[in-house]
Amino acid sequence: MTDPVFTLENGYVRYGGGHPDAVSGVTVRLHKGEILGLVGESGCGKSTTARAMLGLVPLNEGHLTLHGAPVGPNDKRLRASVQAIFQNPAASFNPKRSLLDSVAEPLRVRGIKDRRRRALEELDRVGVTEAMAGRRPYEVSGGQAQRAAIARATILRPEVLVCDEPVSALDVSIQAQILELLAELRTEQGLAMLFISHDLGVVASLCDRTAVMYAGKVVEQGAAPDIANRPRHPYSVALQDAVPSLDLADDHVPRVRTRAVTDDVDGRTLPGCRFSALCPFATDECATTPPPLDELSPRHEVACHHPFAPLHH
Ligand SMILES: Nc1ncnc2c1ncn2[C@@H]1O[C@H](COP(=O)(O)OP(=O)(O)OP(=O)(O)O)[C@@H](O)[C@H]1O
Ligand SMILES: [Mg+2]
């Protein structure tokens, strides 16, 4: 295993207003040529993790590293090395400018010459024709706009791409094309990627590794096929169970039906495991002691006092 290109180490983000930490002690390590999927229910802290890694929200604790060295949120090296794409590409462009102008903009900022040709070349690489490049963001389809956003993000050859739900707003057929494009960029440019998604099927097919978040913490992390087929944390199993179309390949994994609770419990405020109020396997220990993220097998980490046993085939 090579050293990670870019990491968030033990990050805490507090938005204030008396709310508990949005993310609490999250570590994310991105490796060259690898896509890390980040999954978990709405509000668990996926976008906050992404924003912290982009330097868009301050860390209350923890830090970022680039090639092993700490890097501040406003550091030029972070801007140069780490780029992002988001769910709604059209909204991320200036509505009055052509896609071509927007894609050329990072070149202009850097004082790079020959911008039009280079921007057209980059747009062509992601499948946007010259005719399409002259249009404004709201004059093209969502898929075309996302392609242009990818061109803008990659034109200066960053090392890292942070993708926050980049296909969630697109039609399924278009989603597949964009995912294919991201997979190609990973291979051809050796990009390290963080890929946030609600869609466990997409994550299982695109990503090399998967991290599962619950209530502001990473509860399980491992090779994508292991998380999809052999999850060890009850929350990871419950999350997959909630997707009817996704057949767990292995029916040795017991189903996890979360406990019905009458009050909405905010897991972030619990002293022990944040999933303990909903977990059907929770014991007294779970209610009082937060489980550490332990490496149960090589590069498979689980934060649970009673993880499912590994399966042998
Ligand atoms: N700007 C903000 N100010 C205050 N609280 C916020 C802000 N943004 C997010 N939060 C809170 O932080 C927590 C994590 O939110 P976040 O947007 O990171 O979740 P998410 O996993 O990306 O959810 P989703 O799947 O819905 O996009 C939530 O409790 C949310 O309400
Ligand atoms: Mg989000």
Side-chain angles (χ1 to χ4, degrees):
M1 198 63 232
T2 56
D3 292 333
V5 175
F6 181 51
T7 74
L8 166 61
E9 302 286 337
N10 197 30
Y12 287 77
V13 175
R14 209 165 296 137
Y15 285 109
H19 294 293
D21 296 337
V23 305
S24 322
V26 166
T27 294
V28 174
R29 299 199 169 109
L30 303 180
H31 293 263
K32 187 177 166 66
E34 240 186 46
I35 306 181
L36 174 69
L38 184 58
V39 299
E41 67 198 30
S42 186
C44 70
K46 303 180 297 296
S47 294
T48 301
T49 300
R51 288 199 284 267
M53 294 183 83
L54 292 162
L56 299 175
V57 295
L59 287 165
N60 294 96
E61 280 177 58
H63 66 277
L64 304 171
T65 76
L66 253 180
H67 296 288
V71 64
N74 300 314
D75 197 304
K76 279 205 231 70
R77 287 172 302 164
L78 187 68
R79 298 267 167 273
S81 301
V82 184
Q83 290 291 324
I85 55 171
F86 298 102
Q87 181 165 350
N88 188 347
S92 74
F93 285 111
N94 183 333
K96 297 195 175 123
R97 300 179 69 183
S98 68
L99 295 175
L100 177 61
D101 282 351
S102 289
V103 171
E105 178 67 12
L107 301 174
R108 194 188 63 74
V109 171
R110 288 286 186 104
I112 295 170
K113 299 252 160 40
D114 204 11
R115 295 193 279 274
R116 183 184 158 82
R117 189 190 58 78
R118 286 190 51 172
L120 281 173
E121 201 176 274
E122 196 67 16
L123 281 159
D124 181 64
R125 196 195 306 277
V126 300
V128 178
T129 61
E130 187 166 347
M132 202 66 82
R135 298 198 190 171
R136 294 176 194 179
Y138 289 98
E139 296 168 347
V140 300
S141 69
Q144 293 290 339
Q146 193 60 289
R147 286 174 188 274
I150 292 170
R152 181 178 54 180
T154 55
I155 194 161
L156 291 175
R157 295 290 171 270
E159 296 180 278
V160 180
L161 195 58
V162 171
C163 313
D164 192 353
E165 313 242 16
V167 298
S168 304
L170 304 176
D171 289 348
V172 172
S173 61
I174 308 297
Q175 285 191 9
Q177 297 170 12
I178 298 293
L179 295 171
E180 202 173 310
L181 177 60
L182 291 174
E184 265 170 42
L185 289 172
R186 176 262 314 266
T187 308
E188 286 168 10
Q189 300 183 12
L191 278 165
M193 283 192 211
L194 181 68
F195 182 86
I196 294 174
S197 179
H198 271 98
D199 190 327
L200 297 176
V202 163
V203 167
S205 68
L206 176 74
C207 298
D208 303 290
R209 296 176 57 73
T210 304
V212 181
M213 267 186 101
Y214 182 78
K217 281 187 167 295
V218 172
V219 297
E220 181 164 13
Q221 167 156 254
D226 289 342
I227 302 298
N229 301 319
R230 286 175 277 276
R232 309 277 305 268
H233 195 290
Y235 176 69
S236 306
V237 179
L239 189 65
Q240 307 217 18
D241 257 3
V243 186
S245 63
L246 201 76
D247 266 340
L248 283 181
D250 208 309
D251 42 51
H252 303 294
V253 178
R255 314 248 100 178
V256 173
R257 293 270 169 252
T258 52
R259 278 201 255 171
V261 284
T262 42
D263 300 320
D264 232 359
V265 187
D266 181 353
R268 288 178 170 86
T269 62
L270 298 176
C273 172
R274 294 178 171 198
F275 189 53
S276 60
L278 295 177
C279 184
F281 312 109
T283 57
D284 290 347
E285 185 188 19
C286 303
T288 54
T289 313
L293 192 59
D294 280 337
E295 192 164 58
L296 293 193
S297 57
R299 300 199 75 210
H300 191 152
E301 298 168 303
V302 183
C304 178
H305 292 304
H306 313 289
F308 288 116
L311 295 160
H312 299 287
H313 299 278

